[in-house]
Amino acid sequence: MTAPDIRNEFADRVAVVTGGGSGIGRSIAVRYAAAGGTVAVVGRREEPLAETVALVESAGGKGLALTCDVRDAAAVETVVDGVVDRFGRLDVMVNNAAGNFVVPGEKLSANGWKAVIDIVLNGSFHGTRVAGKHMLEAGRGAILNTIATYAWHGHPGTVHSAAAKAGVVAMTRTLAVEWAARGVRLNCIAPGPTETEGAGAALWPNQQARDRVLASVPAARFTTPDEVAESAAFLLSDRAAYVTGEVLVVDGGQWLGKAIYTDPDSK
Ligand code: HXC
C-alpha cells in the first residue's frame, strides 16, 4: 500500500468555515488552503475575516470573507448559497462559531442562555441544514462541528455552552446516520484548552485560572489552533471517508485525566 499524497488533497474543493476570523476557525481555513482548497470564512466582523483571507491566500488557496451572524438562519442560507453560486460546489462546512462566558447557573439570565444556545446549537444547525442541502444534491460532502468534551461530562460555569454542545453532538450523530448512504459525513472535533484570544478571555481570564486549567491537562500544556486544525483536516479529507458520527477529542488527555493516578513508587 502506498501512502496517499496529502499535500494537495483539497485542490478544487470549496469550504465554508464559520467563526473563521480568529482562533481555531482561522487555523482550519488556512490549513485547508495550504492543501489547495478554496475557503469562505464567515464571521460577524469584517476586519478579522479580511486578515484570515490574506493568510489563506499566502498559504496558496483562494479566500473569501462573508459577514454573517450564524444566529440568523436566512443570512446563513444566503451566505452558503452565495458560495455555491460563485464556486459551483461545496465540499466542506465547518460550524465553528461559538459564544461562551463563565457564569454560575443561578446567575445566568434567560437571555444569556438564549444567546449561547442560538450561536452554538441553532447556528450549527443553520449551517448544517443549508450545507447539507447542497451536499445531498451533489452526493458528497463533509461537515465538521466544533464542540467541547463538557458536552458529556458537563462543566460548572458553562451550563449554556455544555447544553448547546451536547445538542450539537446529538445533531451530528443523528444526521450522520440519516445522510451516510448519500455521501455526506458529519463529525465533531472537541479541542481541549487552546491558546486563542476568545477562549482565553472567556474561560481563563487570569493567571490563577490559567494555572488551574493547565494542571488539569495530563499533556501539561495548552494546545494551539494549528494543532487542532491538523486533526480537523484529517476529518475533512478523504482519508476519513469511512468516519462519520464521530467525535475526535484533541485535549492532551484532559477529560480522561480526571481519574487520579496513584503512583506506587510515591511515598
Ligand atoms: C453573565 C452575561 C455575560 C457574562 C453576557 N451575558 N456576558 N451574563 N456573565 N460574562 C448575558 C448578557 O447580560 C445578556 O443577558 C446576554 O448574555 C446576551 O448578551 P449580549 O452581550 O447582548 O449578547 P451578544 O452581543 O449577542 O454576545 C453573545 C455572547 C458574547 C455569547 C454573550 O460573549 C459573544 O458573542 N462571544 C463570542 C466569542 C466567544 O465567546 N468566544 C468564546 C468561545 S470559546 P441580559 O439578560 O442581560 O439581556 C468556547 C470554547 C469552549 O466556547 C471550550 C473550552 C475547553
Side-chain angles (χ1 to χ4, degrees), residues 44 69 71 97-103 107-113 115-116 119-120 147-150 158 160-161 165 191-194 196-200 202-204 254:
R44 282 179 295 175
D69 188 328
R71 288 174 276 200
N100 202 0
F101 49 85
V102 178
V103 62
K107 295 196 175 139
L108 176 62
S109 71
N111 201 32
W113 168 268
V116 171
I119 297 168
V120 175
I147 61 133
T149 61
Y150 55 53
T158 57
H160 42 10
S161 177
K165 301 283 194 190
T194 309
T196 68
E197 260 174 47
L203 301 172
W204 45 90
Q254 187 191 34

Side-chain angles (χ1 to χ4, degrees), residues 40 50 62 81 99 119 122 136 141 143 169 224 237 254:
K62 262 188 268 171
D81 287 352
I119 297 168
N122 297 339
L136 291 167
I143 297 174
V169 175
T224 64
S237 74
Q254 187 191 34

Side-chain angles (χ1 to χ4, degrees), residues 130-171:
V130 65
K133 175 185 75 177
H134 292 292
M135 291 173 176
L136 291 167
E137 247 172 57
R140 53 150 220 287
I143 297 174
L144 184 67
N145 299 316
T146 306
I147 61 133
T149 61
Y150 55 53
W152 52 90
H153 61 66
H155 189 80
T158 57
V159 63
H160 42 10
S161 177
K165 301 283 194 190
V168 173
V169 175
M171 175 190 78

